[in-house]
Amino acid sequence: MATANRGQWSGKTGFILAAAGSAIGLGNIWRFPYTAGENGGGAFVLIYLAFVMLIGIPVVLAELSIGRKTEKNPVGAFKALVPNSLWPYLGGLGVLTGFGILAFYSVLAGWTLSYLYGAVTGIYGGVMNAEESAALFTHLIGDPVLTISLTAAFLFLTVIVVRKGVSGGIEKATKILMPLLLLILIILAVRSVTLPGGSEGLAYLFTPDFSKLSGTVIMSALGQALFSLSLGMGAMITYGSYFPKTENLHQAGIAVALFDTGIAILAGLIIFPALFFVGVEPGAGPGLVFIVLPSIFGSLPAGQLFAIAFYALLAIAALTSTISLLEVVVAYFVDEKGWDRNKAAWILGGLCFVLAVPSSLSSGGSAMFTDFLGTGLSFLDINNIIWGNYSLTIGALLICLFVGWQWGIPTALESLESSGHKMPGRNFLGFLIKVVCPVAISIVLIYIIVTQQYF
Ligand code: TRP
């Protein structure tokens, strides 16, 4: 447990910003609005919010308590707590999932660079209609050489930060940029809500129509809650392991969860009114945000400047998320396999690039990956669902079972409270982790299996 060698966040704020950096990313700004749109709006949003409160926050705290206690990567953490058991495989699933997510996430992150380039070169000449904007989208993301290069560029940036270790790179990057992103989002939300037709968008987002509920909607809401908070694969175990021993960990964890959810709602406030303004279908799919946003920039004074700032900050928000994904994988190879951090970052980043190529080609670059195996879904979409929904859900279920029934709630609470800060509602939290989360997650999974609504 060589704390000094592993590095530590410089304080509570450092941790909050870094963990918020991990949580806030394309999950909030790209994935939340398009998933909400595909799943009928209000009812999805309500269930997503309920999952954040009932499952997201308990799992954040469960992961952080493991990380603080063991000061290790997910595999090492379970090894330290229950040696000679199968639990380290749960950590292994987390490392694999981190890889799986990074391999498609970096492709999308590459799209943001493409849009940033478009913004700099002045593509946004005025208010764009839906067709113009969709054509622009297809143009920017359908070019195979461009998307592959941008994916490579993004992974390269990620490696550059991760190879230097937590407090050096990760923390510095987030400190100024997260608040700046928040500011831009607020300005865009104000603009969007006041667009003609804005109230229709708000009604779509906030009026639950429960006839739209289905197994898929509920599963997507659960997956979204976990994905957005970076849960279910040990990212928060890893980040919790760098948390200063003297600081209030549960307060920081809850702050991150609320902050992240607030940003997702803010993204909804930007996208949905604008979508009705420009005439795009809410269920347009993964391209939704990219197609809708140019319309807002076109209607703002100094729209081009806003577009540049927005895409730059979005790319950075994505970067602080890819950093946390790669960090989990790198921490495993450094701690458990004794690799040099620099070498681990380069090799694993490079391997991830190879795995990301099919996803890069799945938005028009290659017909085979664009409609993968006749599913009507792209290779990227399928990876998003498998790793981003199912794998995280199974991971979160097992983490709750571990903390609730194997390690024990009292030990977890002791770890959370080891700085001397008593946690309000501690028994309720224990009940959520031990009973409510496992039961709720199992019901969702069993329902999906019985009704076969997998996608
Ligand atoms: N939460 C990030 C987002 O919303 C994505 C992410 C980063 C993530 N690290 C993760 C998701 C770990 C799941 C697990 O963009």
Side-chain angles (χ1 to χ4, degrees):
M1 298 210 191
T3 313
N5 299 337
R6 297 184 80 243
Q8 239 191 43
W9 308 113
S10 63
K12 190 165 71 178
T13 334
F15 166 83
I16 292 184
L17 287 167
S22 164
I24 296 165
L26 299 169
N28 309 62
I29 291 159
W30 157 75
R31 204 178 193 264
F32 171 73
Y34 104 74
T35 314
E38 272 188 339
N39 288 295
F44 169 91
V45 174
L46 199 68
I47 293 180
Y48 156 76
L49 291 176
F51 280 148
V52 167
M53 295 298 159
L54 284 179
I55 297 178
I57 290 181
V59 177
V60 169
L61 297 176
E63 286 200 24
L64 290 177
S65 68
I66 297 173
R68 167 175 264 185
K69 177 75 191 173
T70 59
E71 297 187 36
K72 284 196 160 44
N73 68 85
V75 176
F78 289 108
K79 262 194 203 157
L81 295 177
V82 262
N84 305 319
S85 71
L86 293 176
W87 289 109
Y89 286 101
L90 172 54
L93 175 69
V95 172
L96 197 69
T97 305
F99 226 76
I101 295 179
L102 186 57
F104 74 82
Y105 198 96
S106 52
V107 174
L108 286 154
W111 293 5
T112 65
L113 294 182
S114 201
Y115 269 78
L116 176 59
Y117 176 76
V120 171
T121 54
I123 283 186
Y124 310 107
V127 181
M128 256 191 225
N129 66 31
E131 288 81 56
E132 287 165 341
S133 185
L136 175 67
F137 178 66
T138 316
H139 170 73
L140 286 177
I141 67 155
D143 178 341
V145 177
L146 186 66
T147 47
I148 291 180
S149 317
L150 291 175
T151 305
F154 211 90
L155 282 168
F156 179 77
L157 293 175
T158 309
V159 167
I160 295 284
V161 180
V162 169
R163 60 188 266 277
K164 288 220 234 127
V166 275
S167 46
I170 301 179
E171 211 181 309
K172 271 189 208 121
T174 8
K175 251 187 181 143
I176 320 155
L177 299 162
M178 282 291 127
L180 211 56
L181 176 68
L182 183 64
L183 181 70
I184 295 245
L185 289 175
I186 292 174
I187 296 172
L188 291 178
V190 170
R191 167 70 281 210
S192 188
V193 171
T194 53
L195 284 171
S199 54
E200 252 180 287
L202 295 182
Y204 187 85
L205 190 61
F206 293 121
T207 317
D209 171 0
F210 289 108
S211 69
K212 299 221 170 103
L213 280 189
S214 69
T216 320
V217 172
I218 294 170
M219 183 65 220
S220 311
L222 178 55
Q224 180 57 28
L226 296 172
F227 187 93
S228 191
L229 296 173
S230 300
L231 297 179
M233 54 148 283
M236 289 299 149
I237 295 181
T238 310
Y239 271 35
S241 73
Y242 305 118
F243 195 75
K245 291 290 172 210
T246 50
E247 297 283 352
N248 184 337
L249 182 58
H250 51 85
Q251 199 184 55
I254 293 172
V256 169
L258 296 179
F259 196 30
D260 179 73
T261 310
I263 298 271
I265 296 297
L266 203 52
L269 290 179
I270 297 172
I271 302 301
F272 283 87
L275 169 164
F276 282 87
F277 169 67
V278 80
V280 174
E281 281 297 309
L288 180 73
V289 179
F290 290 95
I291 294 173
V292 169
L293 280 172
S295 69
I296 320 182
F297 298 127
S299 75
L300 273 171
Q304 185 179 356
L305 275 184
F306 268 101
I308 294 173
F310 174 81
Y311 288 115
L313 289 167
L314 184 59
I316 289 160
L319 183 63
T320 53
S321 298
T322 55
I323 287 167
S324 80
L325 289 161
L326 187 61
E327 173 62 26
V328 172
V329 186
V330 165
Y332 165 70
F333 281 91
V334 170
D335 293 350
E336 302 303 309
K337 303 281 170 205
W339 287 21
D340 169 59
R341 174 171 271 274
N342 185 39
K343 169 183 135 189
W346 284 112
I347 291 183
L348 298 163
L351 188 59
C352 194
F353 168 67
V354 175
L355 297 175
V357 168
S359 284
S360 315
L361 295 174
S362 74
S363 304
S366 139
M368 181 178 124
F369 292 119
T370 304
D371 178 3
F372 193 59
L373 303 175
T375 49
L377 293 168
S378 72
F379 188 76
L380 191 156
D381 294 338
I382 291 177
N383 276 278
N384 182 16
I385 293 170
I386 291 177
W387 302 110
N389 284 346
Y390 286 103
S391 193
L392 296 180
T393 300
I394 291 165
L397 171 64
L398 293 172
I399 287 168
C400 290
L401 290 176
F402 173 79
V403 171
W405 299 90
Q406 167 82 42
W407 196 36
I409 299 291
T411 339
L413 286 172
E414 195 183 297
S415 161
L416 273 181
E417 293 173 337
S418 58
S419 57
H421 301 84
K422 276 268 168 282
M423 153 123 206
R426 59 204 300 281
N427 295 331
F428 182 60
L429 173 76
F431 178 66
L432 288 177
I433 295 178
K434 189 165 178 169
V435 181
V436 175
C437 296
V439 169
I441 297 176
S442 304
I443 291 176
V444 176
L445 287 174
I446 291 169
Y447 186 76
I448 292 289
I449 293 168
V450 170
T451 58
Q452 304 201 326
Q453 302 178 40
Y454 298 111
F455 291 103

